[in-house]
Amino acid sequence: MAYYRQVGEVPQKRHTQFRDPEGRLYYEELMGEEGFSSDSSLLYHRGVPSAIASAETWELPDQTRMPNHPLKPRHLRLHTLETGADPVTSRRLVLGNADVRISYVVTGGAENGPSPLYRNAIGDECVFVESGSGTVETVFGVLSYRSGDYVVIPRATTHRWAPAEPSRLYAIEANSHIAPPKRYLSRYGQLLEHAPYSERDLHGPSAVHLTEGTDVEVLVKHRVGGQVVGTRFTYATHPFDVVGWDGCLYPYTFNLDDYMPITGKVHQPPPVHQVFEGHNFVVCNFLPRKVDYHPLAVPVPYYHSNVDSDEVMFYVAGDYEARKGSGIGLGSISLHPGGHAHGPQPEAIEASLGAEYFEESAVMVDTFAPLELGEGGLACEDPEYAWSWARSVASGTIDR
Ligand SMILES: [Fe+2]
């Protein structure tokens, strides 16, 4: 993200001597993307950031995936999924492919303490906070989070979650970087006037978070071949020893309330609702908004075949009584795979005519490669969903 930020103390010139009050040198670390060819930050550590004393295997939760075969639209009821309380190690894999994985966890509250220190070396994480609040402590400083936040954590950022209250976390873990869509950005990286949000809406750390410690464990998620695996490092000193940093690479939050929906005279396609993009996937959100104002507009979507993508809708707020007949409710995921046309229950089209406002909130992930089901997804599937259009049992179902 080409949006410069400076926190704590940094030397006047990069790569020059920078000492503490006792005269000891700080250790400068560059965290940079795409080799040395993209966004980066410079961090100044009290300890040596590469000083590990041990490396052991960290056994991840079940990462196996089952292909969506025979091909079906799927309805997964995340609120029926039981998880352990830890924001990092208790995530259950719901959906995934070689580009992105979606996991879900319902954390404990403050009494459970923070998660282990953790970083994802596979890609950026965009964790959507369905509900709850707390902080995410990072090597860059502390982020506060609340319901409706996307917490975007760059690849290899050491951090830990500290929920203040039980939190429902929908973790979108990329194998790549996650950023605003390129079409929202000027050629130098500023968010343009037509973007539905601006830099003011992105909240990064505002102070360093110095923590003392020795022999500190950090869990690292990484790849071996095509597999997702984990390693448990022990560091000689605490990774949260950064006295200052500056640059354009850092974690931040963005809240749904700060997204200004783009509306139209007739139905607008999902790209107007886009928030972020990663390699081979996008993140969109459908939020409360005025709907189409052409006198003959059909507010609900047309049937659509996403020939190049699988579409994952996560229904997070609003009145979903209107979806009776499909079984979709709050906490539901619908997976509409490529190769299958989907859209409203037929009765919903007439029922929507004249509507002026939609109340629903949903977060969508579209992937350009087929998604497979994780063990968590299979554990909470409603097996009847695929046949709901054929049954056409009720009116008013609205699907994006
Ligand atoms: Fe759709």
Side-chain angles (χ1 to χ4, degrees), residues 270 286 301-302 304 306 311 313 336 342-343 364 366 399-400:
F286 299 89
Y302 33 81
H304 46 290
N306 303 341
E311 175 192 295
M313 290 282 279
H336 294 141
H342 68 275
M364 183 177 84
D366 266 15
D399 177 274
R400 294 294 173 291

Side-chain angles (χ1 to χ4, degrees), residues 117-173:
L117 289 162
Y118 161 71
R119 65 173 173 262
N120 188 332
I122 301 175
D124 293 0
E125 293 193 356
C126 173
V127 179
F128 176 72
V129 180
E130 181 191 359
S131 63
S133 64
T135 57
V136 182
E137 303 171 22
T138 84
V139 70
F140 293 93
V142 179
L143 304 172
S144 294
Y145 75 82
R146 61 190 171 96
S147 295
D149 271 348
Y150 295 98
V151 181
V152 180
I153 302 174
R155 177 186 275 160
T157 298
T158 303
H159 67 282
R160 66 184 169 197
W161 287 76
E165 58 180 343
S167 303
R168 293 183 172 275
L169 304 179
Y170 183 79
I172 302 165
E173 300 181 15

Side-chain angles (χ1 to χ4, degrees), residues 363-384:
V363 170
M364 183 177 84
V365 176
D366 266 15
T367 67
F368 302 139
L371 283 162
E372 300 177 325
L373 290 126
E375 61 80 26
L378 289 168
C380 64
E381 185 177 12
D382 166 12
E384 298 303 313

